[in-house]
Amino acid sequence: MRLAIPVAAGALLLTACSDDGDGGGGGGDTYKIAYQGPLSGQNVALGENMENGVQLAIKEANESGEYDFTIEYKPADDQGAEGQSTSAAQSAIDDPDVMAVVGPAFSGPTFVAAPLYGQAGLAVVSASATNPTITEEGFPTFLRAVPNDNAQGSAMARFLASQDDVESVMVIDDVTPYGEGLADVAMEELEAAGLQAQRESVPADTVDYGSAARTVTSANVDALIYAGYYEALGPFATRLAEAGFEGIGISGDGSNDDEFINLAGGASEGWYLTCPCTDASAEEATQDFADRYQEEYGEAPGTYSAESYDVANMIIQTIAGLDGDVNRQAVYEALASGEYEGLTKTFSFTDTGEFENEGIFLYQVEEGVRGYVGNVDELVGG
């Protein structure tokens, strides 16, 4: 039986925790929420988007006066790299006050960290790690709070199939777990849609994308799907423009950030970007959040800011609902079996920790601005 967490969308729940003297909750007890993601290194902008959402949720909860406990934030910087994931996860695990983790942000670090969190009985809720196979690994405390790349790859293929004069597509992955997983699904869905599809791999640490750009232009394809992150797509898009590529370019949530435009300049013009995330500034349900975010950070919410805010609030309200009996196992079990109505979506999970809902959204760069286009299902009519 699912335990519903009955709250208005994004609202704070008034609750009291008893002080039983053993640190279980209430009486001014302090609990921590960690965030694991890239807070330095490449692709740091994506990590900061999410960190800001988590920190805003914590700040608002503490200032609300509606809780008998305090929430603190703990950063766990993995630089978006698998090699840094173990130490980042261990820093959260070793802090006994950490009751749950938002993240990891990227799929590669998730494969490394999730088993460690599972051994520690610590709930880990990712708002952005989308490789479809993560939930097939049996990680005991992992929950995915976002549609996986089966949905995103399908949306890319359906969008391209709906475009006039698109018959052939090249799919390029960046040789990361995220990129390869997204490319695998995209290839399957393109072929199912009756489009000619070919696959290439270009490592994310490639120094010069000139050769890769020439491969694309010589193939004379009508469209290109790039499965990777903005840090690499920026210089790649520049080389593609220089090589004369005139087809449709589309990438996923790993590139859906304004830093792509900053890196690629005019070469970013016209590119489509998909994401299992809405534009918090464009959707009515998240407009108030977007205003508060803008006031707090001096900029609009970025990719996964609102979703991370939702996940942090879900964790906070789960802690509040435990009536003082707060420990890692209890928090995980309540999260896994519960349902939470957030600002961006309704959060609930299958027995494997998979997110139960789908929804992919499209963005496009026009006149140097990453604009929100809408829900892909609505755009393609199905």
Side-chain angles (χ1 to χ4, degrees):
M1 179 178 297
R2 291 196 175 279
L3 173 63
I5 304 175
V7 295
L12 297 175
L13 178 65
L14 177 62
T15 186
C17 298
S18 61
D19 184 0
D20 56 11
D22 63 0
D29 287 332
T30 296
Y31 307 112
K32 294 181 182 180
I33 296 175
Y35 164 70
Q36 181 180 336
L39 300 177
S40 63
Q42 295 183 335
N43 302 303
V44 65
L46 290 171
E48 290 174 342
N49 291 340
M50 298 179 227
E51 179 186 47
N52 288 347
V54 172
Q55 289 186 299
L56 182 59
I58 291 172
K59 178 182 178 181
E60 290 179 348
N62 289 333
E63 291 179 351
S64 71
E66 297 180 344
Y67 294 93
D68 285 348
F69 55 83
T70 299
I71 298 292
E72 291 185 358
Y73 170 70
K74 183 177 183 66
D77 181 15
D78 63 15
Q79 299 181 18
E82 296 168 60
Q84 300 297 320
S85 187
T86 296
S87 59
Q90 203 62 51
S91 70
I93 291 168
D94 290 344
D95 187 335
D97 293 329
V98 173
M99 291 295 121
V101 180
V102 180
F106 293 172
S107 295
T110 299
F111 281 109
V112 176
L116 303 177
Y117 287 124
Q119 292 171 8
L122 183 58
V124 53
V125 190
S126 179
S128 56
T130 52
N131 185 294
T133 64
I134 294 174
T135 53
E136 299 173 6
E137 296 292 331
F139 300 134
T141 60
F142 176 79
L143 302 170
R144 196 204 311 269
V146 63
N148 67 38
D149 284 333
N150 287 331
Q152 192 165 197
S154 173
M156 287 179 166
R158 288 184 288 113
F159 174 73
L160 290 177
S162 73
Q163 302 302 296
D164 295 337
D165 302 324
V166 173
E167 297 180 356
S168 59
V169 183
M170 180 175 287
V171 179
I172 294 183
D173 70 76
D174 67 348
V175 199
T176 66
Y178 161 70
E180 290 175 335
L182 178 57
D184 288 344
V185 176
M187 285 293 293
E188 293 176 6
E189 296 293 336
L190 288 168
E191 292 168 356
L195 299 177
Q196 301 172 21
Q198 52 186 301
R199 174 85 172 264
E200 297 286 343
S201 295
V202 181
D205 59 357
T206 296
V207 176
D208 187 347
Y209 284 87
S211 176
R214 290 190 292 273
T215 297
V216 176
T217 54
S218 64
N220 198 32
V221 292
D222 302 314
L224 167 67
I225 291 176
Y226 180 72
Y229 297 100
Y230 69 77
E231 186 76 19
L233 180 57
F236 189 16
T238 300
R239 288 298 194 181
L240 284 166
E242 293 172 351
F245 177 65
E246 297 181 349
I248 295 175
I250 185 170
S251 189
D253 53 331
S255 300
N256 186 35
D257 191 273
D258 288 342
E259 278 300 307
F260 166 53
I261 302 172
N262 294 337
L263 290 169
S268 66
E269 193 69 17
W271 271 81
Y272 290 99
L273 305 165
T274 61
C275 189
C277 59
T278 59
D279 183 341
S281 299
E283 294 287 344
E284 182 178 354
T286 52
Q287 186 60 61
D288 186 54
F289 158 79
D291 292 342
R292 299 196 309 275
Y293 187 102
Q294 178 78 42
E295 182 178 355
E296 181 70 20
Y297 300 110
E299 60 184 16
T303 300
Y304 292 123
S305 294
E307 286 77 10
S308 297
Y309 173 87
D310 270 347
V311 170
N313 269 323
M314 177 173 63
I315 293 169
I316 292 168
Q317 296 195 26
T318 296
I319 291 172
L322 292 174
D323 295 327
D325 187 18
V326 180
N327 58 70
R328 289 178 173 180
Q329 186 63 30
V331 171
Y332 164 71
E333 290 177 355
L335 286 169
S337 61
E339 182 175 286
Y340 174 72
E341 185 68 27
L343 296 177
T344 60
K345 57 179 75 81
T346 299
F347 294 84
S348 60
F349 311 96
T350 68
D351 291 342
T352 64
E354 190 62 83
F355 186 64
E356 288 196 316
N357 301 301
E358 294 186 0
I360 304 297
F361 303 88
L362 191 69
Y363 298 73
Q364 186 180 26
V365 180
E366 292 185 305
E367 298 182 355
V369 176
R370 184 173 52 92
Y372 181 62
V373 180
N375 185 295
V376 173
D377 284 339
E378 296 174 1
L379 295 170
V380 303

